[in-house]
Amino acid sequence: MHTRFALCAFVLLAGTVSGCGESATSVHAVQGVRIVNAYTQPVDVFVDGALVVSSVPPGQLDSVEQSAGAHTVELRTSGATASVSVPLTTVAGAFSTIAAVRSGGTLSASALDDTNAVVPTGATKVRVLHLAPNAGEIQVFRTQPDWGTPIEWQFPFLYDSAAIDPLANPYFQSTVGTWDIRAWRKPSEVALGWDGTTARVTFALASGEKRTVLVLDKPGGGIRLSVIE
């Protein structure tokens, strides 16, 4: 049995998450399958052959509560017949995250889960994924609990770069405390800089916690940030 959760503006995670208007959202529910539409058109989602979510808009997230076990998630451009599928195994109390992405101009699917990012006691970890197909190259800067001067995340930062190089989007580690992540598009928004951008999230993490920050297309243009576990 599956239950759909509509994911709106933002829900607090275990830590504190804040943002500026529509530039920030966070998503956290119970267990099952989380869908990120990082494609340029609405997508339909099927689990084990059954339609569970219709027309997830570009740049948005949705989720389906699903029992623990082996499943097949199928993504399809709304109104089309061709699809892509991803096998996954869900576990109790957690979400498996699947992104609908653009690859060679067509719909593809990418699993976002990373089981190798073990966080030591007394530490926290964060990664950023560029999943905004209309944004082009972006810049992402951060401050972290043990470093208060803004640091650029990586260069260059291109759409779905993890699909090109699995090591392109690593977790960065810091101490316990608050992370501040800000992003802008190149070259059009570079002049905004650290103090001008509205694509921003801040969140506090406790010992052993990690988060993934998604850069997504913003409805009406621009980019926004979403935080998931």
Side-chain angles (χ1 to χ4, degrees), residues 49-222:
L51 176 66
V52 293
V53 185
S54 297
S55 298
V56 180
Q60 300 298 313
L61 291 79
D62 213 323
S63 68
V64 178
E65 186 175 358
Q66 193 71 46
S67 60
H71 301 283
T72 299
V73 178
E74 183 181 349
L75 304 178
R76 184 181 301 174
T77 303
S78 298
T81 55
S83 62
V84 294
S85 62
V86 179
L88 57 83
T89 300
T90 54
V91 297
F95 265 85
S96 293
T97 303
I98 303 297
V101 297
R102 184 183 63 195
S103 178
T106 61
L107 177 65
S108 185
S110 179
L112 303 187
D113 299 320
D114 187 332
T115 58
N116 295 320
V118 177
V119 187
T121 300
T124 60
K125 286 189 176 183
V126 174
R127 66 174 173 169
V128 177
L129 302 180
H130 182 352
L131 295 175
N134 293 318
E137 186 177 351
I138 63 172
Q139 285 184 318
V140 176
F141 279 75
R142 73 188 188 275
T143 61
Q144 57 194 49
D146 60 352
W147 195 264
T149 301
I151 315 166
E152 188 167 14
W153 202 270
Q154 64 187 57
F155 178 85
F157 209 154
L158 305 173
Y159 171 70
D160 197 23
S161 51
I164 302 170
D165 178 2
L167 300 179
N169 298 104
Y171 281 89
F172 286 100
Q173 181 173 305
S174 184
T175 53
V176 170
T178 299
W179 291 73
D180 189 341
I181 314 294
R182 310 188 192 193
W184 47 87
R185 295 172 294 174
K186 291 185 67 178
S188 59
E189 296 178 335
V190 171
L192 293 173
W194 178 255
D195 293 320
T197 182
T198 57
R200 175 189 180 190
V201 285
T202 61
F203 46 90
L205 297 183
S207 173
E209 289 189 320
K210 64 181 178 180
R211 294 291 184 269
T212 295
V213 178
L214 308 176
V215 182
L216 300 168
D217 283 329
K218 182 179 178 180

